[in-house]
Amino acid sequence: MIFFIDSANLDEIRTANDLGIIGGVTTNPTLISKELISGRNAILDHYQKICNIVPGDVSAEVISTKFKDIITEGHQLSEVNKKIVVKVPIIEDGLKAIDYFSKNNIKTNCTLVFSASQALLAAKSGATYVSPFMGRIDDWDKKTASSIQILADIKKIFKNYQYKTKILAASIRNQEHIIDCAKIGADVVTASFKLLSSLIKHPLTESGLKKFIQDYKRVN
């Protein structure tokens, strides 16, 4: 399973990349706005800076919702760097755009996915990635279907029909989500820097290391 960092902050991305644990980045308009970047050229330049840091794909989201506008914006994003993956919402014009991008060798990430049926449509349209939003699924209706069950359904469907679309689990809220994704066999998990960093820590590691250091000092 590959880790992506869900961030537009260059310092966070560099730190995570230096740890050797991430293979790419996912962004969205909200994350970009947090970096106080304004103006189309400045945003595109920021994406280039991100691409310069990480070895793998960088998801950059369109804000348009009409087919022709999505296509125009997607071309602008894809021309920034070959690592750019055009992030498109699962709407009718979005599916049409994903089909167009797929036929023109432009990578896509179908986002705002909340059901296996949506993921199936994205795969049939040729999406490179499909992003089920685990945390938001669990927030919406825990009684009907859990996010991990939906993820398992998507995994089974993709395997049944040998779709090449990769499952990129998003809206990750906790370590349990990450471990569940690993058990199911998600291709990619994207999470915040804070959550990725928390995977390193455990109270027994900290206490054990403290004791090792204390014991070493007593004999040296």
Side-chain angles (χ1 to χ4, degrees):
M1 186 174 72
I2 298 171
F3 282 142
F4 283 4
I5 182 171
D6 195 34
S7 176
N9 182 276
L10 298 180
D11 289 336
E12 285 185 348
I13 294 169
R14 286 193 192 95
T15 301
N17 187 64
D18 288 345
L19 287 173
I21 62 172
I22 63 169
V25 176
T26 54
T27 67
N28 58 50
T30 300
L31 293 173
I32 290 292
S33 68
K34 288 181 179 180
E35 300 307 305
L36 304 178
I37 303 165
S38 60
R40 192 62 182 166
N41 289 337
I43 292 172
L44 295 177
D45 181 64
H46 194 75
Y47 285 136
Q48 180 61 64
K49 290 176 181 177
I50 293 174
C51 289
N52 289 340
I53 298 171
V54 296
D57 290 340
V58 175
S59 284
E61 189 164 350
V62 300
I63 58 172
S64 302
T65 56
K66 298 298 182 183
F67 175 73
K68 290 184 178 179
D69 296 332
I70 295 172
I71 297 305
T72 299
E73 193 176 348
H75 274 292
Q76 289 178 343
L77 291 169
S78 67
E79 289 167 5
V80 169
N81 192 289
K82 64 181 181 179
K83 296 177 184 177
I84 291 290
V85 177
V86 181
K87 201 172 180 182
V88 182
I90 178 75
I91 56 177
E92 288 186 14
D93 280 15
L95 284 175
K96 288 170 60 179
I98 289 170
D99 178 62
Y100 167 87
F101 288 135
S102 175
K103 291 173 179 175
N104 285 273
N105 298 314
I106 294 174
K107 293 178 289 187
T108 55
N109 177 359
C110 186
T111 189
L112 291 172
V113 170
F114 296 94
S115 69
S117 59
Q118 289 179 318
L120 174 58
L121 291 177
K124 289 181 70 65
S125 293
T128 311
Y129 298 96
V130 60
S131 288
F133 275 37
M134 297 188 68
R136 294 194 195 183
I137 290 171
D138 289 339
D139 290 344
W140 180 60
D141 188 1
K142 294 181 180 178
K143 295 180 181 179
T144 303
S146 67
S147 61
I148 196 62
Q149 182 58 57
I150 290 174
L151 202 73
D153 290 343
I154 295 170
K155 180 75 175 180
K156 184 176 181 180
I157 291 168
F158 285 10
K159 182 179 180 180
N160 284 347
Y161 297 99
Q162 298 182 330
Y163 287 122
K164 295 180 180 180
T165 302
K166 295 180 180 179
I167 300 172
L168 195 167
S171 184
I172 302 297
R173 297 284 173 78
N174 48 57
Q175 293 187 14
E176 288 73 22
H177 270 161
I178 294 175
I179 298 305
D180 284 342
C181 286
K183 289 178 179 179
I184 288 294
D187 300 289
V188 185
V189 163
T190 186
S192 68
F193 177 73
K194 181 179 180 180
L195 183 51
L196 290 175
S197 298
S198 74
L199 297 174
I200 303 170
K201 301 175 183 178
H202 192 285
L204 292 179
T205 303
E206 295 174 6
S207 61
L209 181 59
K210 183 178 180 180
K211 187 176 188 308
F212 288 158
I213 293 172
Q214 289 174 341
D215 290 345
Y216 177 81
K217 288 180 177 179
R218 277 199 295 268
V219 297
N220 288 277

